[in-house]
Amino acid sequence: LLGQTRCLSSQSVPILSLNDLSNIPGSVKLRKRWGRGVGTGRGKLCGYGHQKSGSTPRGFEGGQTPLYKRLPKIGFHNVSKRTWEIVNLDKIQNFIDQGRLVPKADGLLTMRDLWTAGVVTQIREGVKLLAKHKDELRSPVHFEVSSASKNAIAAVEAAGGTVTCVHFNRLALRALLKPIKFDLLPRRARPNPKRMPYFLDHTRAGYLSPEIQIRNLRLFGHVTSEQSMREEHDRYMIGRREQIKQEQLQRREQKMELMQLGVGKQKKIKTKTRTKMAIGKSDGKHRK
């Protein structure tokens, strides 16, 4: 063993260093080099051709009329269709029992109240009241919604409440849900001629029918919630204007204070310069 170790030590064994490290053959693949001459096979136009197209659109058939245009159209799109947010009477009673929704004795429960309470998460075009599990409704509630079924109207009236179906376009609905976005609230638009018979029918609780108008005037003093909403918005805007005036007065006072401080500093600087000049003159006289 000693002889073998002596023979190994006598032979020259290369020492491994960083400059001797290299990759395993085949582990690194070189990238394709485009535009390096016509002889390379990937030169000139780099494989894109004269009319370069980065990606082919989905359904493109080489310029001919695609299949989805060759097939006939079936059905139609109803322009006057409305997508209502559905609210059932059992859900209303559950929210009232939990204390999350408080019915108004002398006012209408609007779609904004349902939205703020969490009964409806998003209102796109309006709310429709349905009579699922109508026997669970026990509290008298006065609803103002976009639409309601006849069974729901009968169940609400049996519990001592009322239903008023009011027309809301997109602008009026936005003004109802977020009135603080408006400096002046827009007036609610009248329904179009196609929807007018629905709101003139007292069996559908339409707000334009004489029976519903007389009932609401007797109970609440107004037909819809528009008047009360305008009064609330006016109070908010008056408070907001007063707050803005106070903020402006505070800013003016702060500016005046800063200006006075600046004038005082300038006066101090002037007095200092005058005293320095007087001292310099007196020193000059003494030297003379």
Side-chain angles (χ1 to χ4, degrees):
L1 290 172
L2 290 171
Q4 290 178 0
T5 53
R6 286 175 183 173
C7 292
L8 288 171
S9 62
S10 62
Q11 293 176 0
S12 61
V13 179
I15 299 170
L16 186 64
S17 59
L18 291 175
N19 59 350
D20 294 330
L21 295 176
S22 61
N23 294 317
I24 299 171
S27 63
V28 178
K29 186 177 179 181
L30 298 176
R31 68 178 182 85
K32 289 184 179 181
R33 301 182 70 213
W34 297 87
R36 296 298 188 274
V38 183
T40 60
R42 294 188 290 270
K44 194 179 177 183
L45 300 176
C46 302
Y48 287 103
H50 289 281
Q51 296 178 346
K52 180 180 178 180
S53 176
S55 61
T56 305
R58 200 179 308 168
F60 183 68
E61 298 182 10
Q64 69 179 11
T65 305
L67 181 66
Y68 68 89
K69 287 189 177 181
R70 293 198 301 268
L71 295 176
K73 294 181 181 179
I74 301 172
F76 71 101
H77 175 67
N78 190 0
V79 181
S80 60
K81 182 182 178 181
R82 299 297 183 95
T83 55
W84 307 118
E85 303 297 328
I86 304 301
V87 177
N88 290 292
L89 296 178
D90 59 341
K91 190 173 183 180
I92 297 291
Q93 188 60 48
N94 289 335
F95 272 74
I96 292 172
D97 294 340
Q98 294 172 10
R100 298 174 62 182
L101 185 64
V102 180
K104 303 175 184 178
D106 56 348
L108 293 167
L109 193 74
T110 62
M111 292 185 286
R112 181 187 174 189
D113 299 326
L114 300 176
W115 178 58
T116 53
V119 180
V120 182
T121 56
Q122 187 178 7
I123 301 176
R124 293 184 180 87
E125 296 182 354
V127 174
K128 185 172 183 178
L129 201 65
L130 296 182
K132 185 178 180 181
H133 302 295
K134 59 183 179 180
D135 299 332
E136 296 184 8
L137 184 67
R138 302 179 303 275
S139 304
V141 188
H142 304 288
F143 291 100
E144 185 192 67
V145 290
S146 300
S147 179
S149 64
K150 289 185 177 181
N151 292 332
I153 295 170
V156 171
E157 290 177 351
T162 58
V163 178
T164 307
C165 295
V166 183
H167 172 71
F168 286 92
N169 58 359
R170 290 187 180 272
L171 182 63
L173 188 62
R174 186 167 183 266
L176 174 69
L177 298 177
K178 298 179 180 180
I180 59 174
K181 299 285 186 180
F182 297 85
D183 292 335
L184 293 173
L185 284 178
R187 294 180 63 185
R188 292 181 182 176
R190 306 276 284 185
N192 56 18
K194 191 173 182 179
R195 296 275 298 167
M196 186 66 76
Y198 180 85
F199 295 104
L200 287 170
D201 189 3
H202 72 279
T203 60
R204 290 285 187 176
Y207 74 109
L208 295 176
S209 63
E211 293 86 355
I212 300 299
Q213 289 183 352
I214 293 168
R215 183 199 68 187
N216 287 3
L217 286 171
R218 181 170 51 83
L219 291 175
F220 316 117
H222 47 80
V223 179
T224 62
S225 63
E226 185 176 7
Q227 183 179 354
S228 60
M229 189 180 69
R230 285 186 181 280
E231 293 174 357
E232 181 184 355
H233 184 264
D234 291 340
R235 288 194 297 271
Y236 170 78
M237 291 305 296
I238 289 168
R240 179 62 180 161
R241 291 189 190 103
E242 290 179 355
Q243 184 182 358
I244 290 170
K245 285 181 181 179
Q246 291 177 1
E247 290 176 356
Q248 289 177 352
L249 288 172
Q250 288 178 0
R251 289 174 186 171
R252 287 177 185 174
E253 290 175 357
Q254 290 176 359
K255 285 183 179 179
M256 291 296 292
E257 290 176 359
L258 291 171
M259 289 173 66
Q260 289 176 0
L261 290 171
V263 170
K265 286 181 179 179
Q266 288 178 1
K267 287 181 178 179
K268 287 181 180 179
I269 291 166
K270 285 181 180 179
T271 53
K272 285 182 180 179
T273 52
R274 285 175 183 173
T275 53
K276 286 181 179 179
M277 288 172 67
I279 291 166
K281 287 180 180 179
S282 62
D283 292 340
K285 287 179 182 179
H286 287 300
R287 286 175 184 175
K288 287 179 180 179

